[in-house]
Amino acid sequence: MSVSDLFKPLTLLHGPAMRNRFMLAPLTSQQSDYDGTASRYDQSWIQQLAKSGYGLIQTSAATVEAGGIAFERQLGIHSDKHLPGLTQMATMIREGGGLSAVQLHHAGHRAKPSIGGIPSPASEKTLRGIKAITTEEVERIRESFIAAAKRAQLAGFDGISVHGAFGWILSEFLSPNLNDRKDQYGGSLENRARFTIEVIEGIRKACGPNFQIGWRLSIERYGLRLEELREMTADIFNRELIDYLDLALWDSAQIVREGTFQGKTMLSVFTELPRKGVRLGAAGKIMSAQRAGELLDEGCDFVLIARAGILQRDFPLQVMANPIYDSPQLPVTAEYLRAGGLSERFIDTMRGWQTFVKPGSL
């Protein structure tokens, strides 16, 4: 395929089609108000993105419960008071011609007490002195995911993406290292996957046939087993439970180092699965037009732009204008990001990412 194939429309099982193959990855910017309300900085960021040519734009991770917070100034969707700001965001994205999704997030055992988080581990052994959440608490959090999806729909978003990556609560329940439960949410893979499946099925039932559901999955760290995740994904594809899978890889070209699939790319382990009508995309060091195009050749239906989209807000438009476009080399100065439209809050967040902002730049 050529880079031009990135600009072909992509139909989804539910709702409208993406106008092209570029999806903005969910980017934690920590620029919301302290109560989770979308700030003027959030709105400015979304306004820039809405004009940048993406097929679908995901928000940053939004808390489905106040106690599930992981980051200071994290976006919220756990209360109706968040609706006005979310509605404004959805409206801007729609007017810009793209589809929109809220990423639904609960931090699980990684919730931060210092900012009001309530750690909610799957296991008794994960955090010293903190008991595993009860079956009833699992069910409550499940319903919070579903209620948050209904808020996203009410705000005018085309769909949501369920955050099942990086050891957050749904990922945590999938991990045999972090989940030693004895109830129906622990033990076998079927039981450990139950929480995720019930969230997805509950959202579909609550939000109907025109609402889009994505699922973000990471396959590294936190004791996750590649073979198990492949089996679970195969079932989700076969039953067409989601519209798209977002594979959150640290590097989209990464090779499996051990086990059944040793020597294969992590991406190929999933692209080789029959996926019926479900679409599959990947994130991970996609910094150039060439790499984005290569991923279509490697079996992806779309690509997720993360760091490249922070460096250059209109990455898709840059690629359209220049099929050999490459991102600026990292690190960049804070002034470069500021001139491109990033808020000081967002820049401060990026200072925490090694090698992104040049040390000492003001």
Side-chain angles (χ1 to χ4, degrees), residues 329-341:
Q329 291 295 306
L330 292 170
V332 295
T333 64
E335 180 54 37
Y336 171 85
L337 296 173
R338 195 174 292 120

Side-chain angles (χ1 to χ4, degrees), residues 25-233:
L27 302 170
T28 297
S29 58
Q30 294 183 253
Q31 57 182 358
S32 303
D33 293 335
Y34 283 111
D35 65 354
T37 301
S39 68
R40 61 186 177 93
Y41 306 106
D42 287 314
Q43 303 297 358
S44 174
W45 170 240
I46 290 295
Q47 186 175 38
Q48 293 176 62
L49 294 170
K51 300 173 182 177
S52 295
Y54 286 95
L56 191 152
I57 295 170
Q58 291 190 44
T59 70
S60 57
T63 52
V64 300
E65 291 190 346
I69 192 169
F71 307 102
E72 190 173 63
R73 293 189 180 275
Q74 185 174 351
L75 184 67
I77 193 169
H78 57 265
S79 168
D80 288 348
K81 70 183 178 184
H82 299 135
L83 280 171
L86 292 167
T87 300
Q88 186 178 346
M89 294 167 80
T91 300
M92 284 191 290
I93 295 171
R94 183 171 58 255
E95 290 176 348
L99 303 185
S100 58
V102 178
Q103 188 189 52
L104 304 184
H105 174 261
H106 189 293
H109 79 279
R110 299 176 65 196
K112 281 195 174 181
S114 61
I115 53 174
I118 303 170
S120 304
S123 169
E124 301 281 347
K125 301 174 184 177
T126 305
L127 298 172
R128 185 185 298 271
I130 298 182
K131 293 183 178 181
I133 54 175
T134 65
T135 303
E136 291 72 25
E137 287 170 322
V138 175
E139 293 169 345
R140 186 204 72 222
I141 295 171
R142 177 195 67 203
E143 295 306 308
S144 294
F145 270 97
I146 297 168
K150 290 172 68 175
R151 283 193 191 93
Q153 186 175 42
L154 186 60
F157 284 87
D158 295 291
I160 55 84
S161 177
V162 175
H163 202 336
F166 308 143
W168 306 123
I169 199 162
L170 298 179
S171 172
E172 175 181 351
F173 268 70
L174 289 173
S175 169
N177 286 20
L178 295 173
N179 180 354
D180 62 357
R181 304 176 69 87
K182 306 302 181 188
D183 64 3
Q184 67 266 37
Y185 295 102
S188 66
L189 173 60
E190 180 183 4
N191 281 358
R192 284 181 280 118
R194 190 183 307 277
F195 195 179
T196 298
I197 299 298
E198 287 184 351
V199 165
I200 292 170
E201 291 182 330
I203 291 171
R204 173 60 64 215
K205 182 177 179 180
C207 295
N210 296 318
F211 196 67
Q212 295 167 349
I213 300 175
W215 175 41
R216 175 158 252 216
L217 177 66
S218 62
I219 50 184
E220 302 164 84
R221 302 173 59 195
Y222 304 105
L224 295 169
R225 294 177 180 171
L226 179 57
E227 292 80 4
E228 287 189 341
L229 295 179
R230 186 179 192 269
E231 180 183 340
M232 176 185 176
T233 301

